[in-house]
Amino acid sequence: MKVMSVVGARPQFVKLAAVAAAFGNMEHDHTIVHTGQHYDADLSDVFFTGLSIPEPHVHLGVGSGTHGVQTGTILAALDPVIAAAHPEWVLVYGDTNSTLAGALSAAKQHIPVAHLEAGLRSFNRRMPEEHNRVLTDHAADLLLAPTEEAVHHLAAEGLADRAVLTGDVMVDVCLRIRDKVLRDKATAVLPAFLNPQEPYLFATLHRAENTDHPDRLAALVDALASLPVPVALAAHPRLLARAEDFGIKLDHGSLHISRPLPYAELIRTVLGSRGVITDSGGLQKEAFLLERVCTTLRTETEWPETLRGGWNTLVPDPRELGSRAWPDIVLRPAPKSSRGMPYGDGKAAPRVVRALEDHMSGSQAR
Ligand code: UD1
């Protein structure tokens, strides 16, 4: 079986790590195309080296742009690559512009498309990720759903017959790296400004709806800086760029800024923390899997399972909480309730490969 993975942004590299490892033990021909959506070493190269992902076979080097330009540039650059390789599957991941462009290029060339992390919905049509995931699901032939909730969403849109519940491949990677980090405990180093004996929070902030409006960004930064414990914020380039554009100072009060963290560093920093504050989808789940409370700076989440029992909580706007409630929420104790295993057992990637094998002949018939 000839499978081409199309990836381009940081969370896709984490998912690819699990899939590439599953293909590594098999006869199949798995090639990797990197669109170049993320080009900074901190967002790309460190994931390939840190997670032992094979080098991409093709790098399109498309870089940044508006959504239309970025999606269109990837689409144009991918057409000849997919035509030359003529894979039996094009596998796209998650909800980025690279996902949608990969699905469209393949679908228009009658190459079967499989969508990993299918069926997630925020029901917020103002998010670029929501357009990307809905359109990709409807273009794809095989929908690899991480959760039962995702399967229900697909069924509600008439896509049940293309859906397969595989579990979430991010669990495979997160638990593997967690175990490695715990084994290497003796050599672990936290950033210099964090005292491992003192409680701290770990934060990230990068979504357009939080970073691209000056008032909102300033309010979120102030809310983080006012907390009574150190907040380690690993800053995405989008956050740094917008803060500079708007003249917002990031590194002040309790807030300490670092570069984006490589994956093992991220897991180590979350494990050492009292809790996480984020607008990232992946980090909400990583906090849940690592048993740290998470506060999500958004109005909704694609991962509602994390909300059960209070492991994750949505805070759309810290200003609405009043100054006393905000620290109490982010520093709340971990719930006693069991979290269950809504994201699967850490063996999703082999199930993804099996689903591709099982559905090969069916998809070729179209
Ligand atoms: C993208 C995804 C988002 C995902 C995130 C993970 C889309 C629509 N969004 O958002 O779903 O959660 O990746 O990080 O695809 N930039 C750099 N260096 C880089 C990459 C980007 O400086 O290596 C800058 C760009 O110039 C741009 C900004 O960051 O100004 C946004 O980058 P882009 O890839 O468009 O979106 P992300 O915010 O990273």
Side-chain angles (χ1 to χ4, degrees), residues 8-11 36-41 43-44 63-65 67 70 95-98 128-129 132 206-208 236-239 241-242 280-281:
R10 177 172 58 177
Q37 174 170 351
H38 283 177
Y39 43 87
D40 281 3
L43 296 192
S44 178
S64 305
H67 290 294
Q70 191 174 55
D95 56 19
T96 73
N97 293 336
S98 297
E129 292 83 6
N132 289 338
H206 78 280
R207 295 236 174 234
H236 186 289
R238 175 196 278 279
L239 172 64
R242 296 301 178 272
S280 151

Side-chain angles (χ1 to χ4, degrees), residues 4-279:
M4 178 183 281
S5 280
V6 177
V7 291
R10 177 172 58 177
Q12 295 167 329
F13 308 139
V14 179
K15 293 159 205 162
L16 172 65
V19 171
F23 275 120
N25 303 325
M26 303 177 96
E27 291 292 293
H28 302 306
D29 174 3
H30 177 227
T31 55
I32 298 171
V33 177
H34 189 320
T35 65
Q37 174 170 351
H38 283 177
Y39 43 87
D40 281 3
D42 286 346
L43 296 192
S44 178
D45 304 14
V46 296
F47 287 83
F48 281 82
T49 47
L51 296 174
S52 308
I53 306 171
E55 281 287 301
H57 299 78
V58 181
H59 199 299
L60 304 178
V62 300
S64 305
T66 62
H67 290 294
V69 166
Q70 191 174 55
T71 309
T73 310
I74 299 169
L75 184 55
L78 261 180
D79 268 3
V81 174
I82 292 179
H86 207 82
E88 280 148 309
W89 283 111
V90 166
L91 181 58
V92 295
Y93 298 67
D95 56 19
T96 73
N97 293 336
S98 297
T99 314
L100 177 60
L104 277 180
S105 175
K108 286 181 179 294
Q109 298 184 64
H110 310 292
I111 304 289
V113 181
H115 183 202
L116 185 139
E117 213 174 74
L120 297 189
R121 295 292 180 265
S122 68
F123 301 102
N124 176 357
R125 286 295 183 114
R126 293 196 60 80
M127 290 177 67
E129 292 83 6
E130 185 74 354
H131 311 151
N132 289 338
R133 54 174 87 96
V134 170
L135 293 169
T136 301
D137 280 340
H138 285 262
D141 303 273
L142 178 62
L143 300 170
L144 304 160
T147 61
E148 284 174 17
E149 177 95 4
V151 173
H152 292 316
H153 292 152
L154 293 169
E157 293 175 26
L159 299 172
D161 57 343
R162 298 185 220 167
V164 176
L165 177 63
T166 56
D168 185 344
V169 297
M170 272 195 55
V171 179
D172 304 21
V173 184
C174 180
L175 299 186
R176 175 166 66 84
I177 300 298
R178 176 201 63 187
D179 294 346
K180 186 171 177 311
V181 163
L182 292 174
R183 275 199 308 275
D184 298 347
K185 215 172 181 174
T187 55
V189 190
L190 284 172
F193 61 85
L194 293 176
N195 174 354
Q197 314 312 327
E198 301 277 337
Y200 68 88
L201 294 159
F202 177 63
T204 72
L205 195 63
H206 78 280
R207 295 236 174 234
E209 62 266 32
N210 282 332
T211 58
D212 290 5
H213 309 283
D215 291 349
R216 173 146 183 92
L217 180 58
L220 292 175
V221 167
D222 283 348
L224 295 173
S226 71
L227 285 167
V229 298
V231 180
L233 188 147
H236 186 289
R238 175 196 278 279
L239 172 64
L240 297 179
R242 296 301 178 272
E244 191 174 338
D245 294 346
F246 304 147
I248 295 170
K249 186 171 158 49
L250 293 176
D251 217 329
H252 72 287
S254 299
L255 199 49
H256 301 269
I257 306 299
S258 75
R259 289 159 52 176
L261 302 182
Y263 198 70
E265 295 298 307
L266 173 103
I267 298 299
R268 177 175 298 135
T269 308
V270 172
L271 278 171
S273 75
R274 264 296 295 273
V276 168
I277 308 174
T278 191
D279 58 5

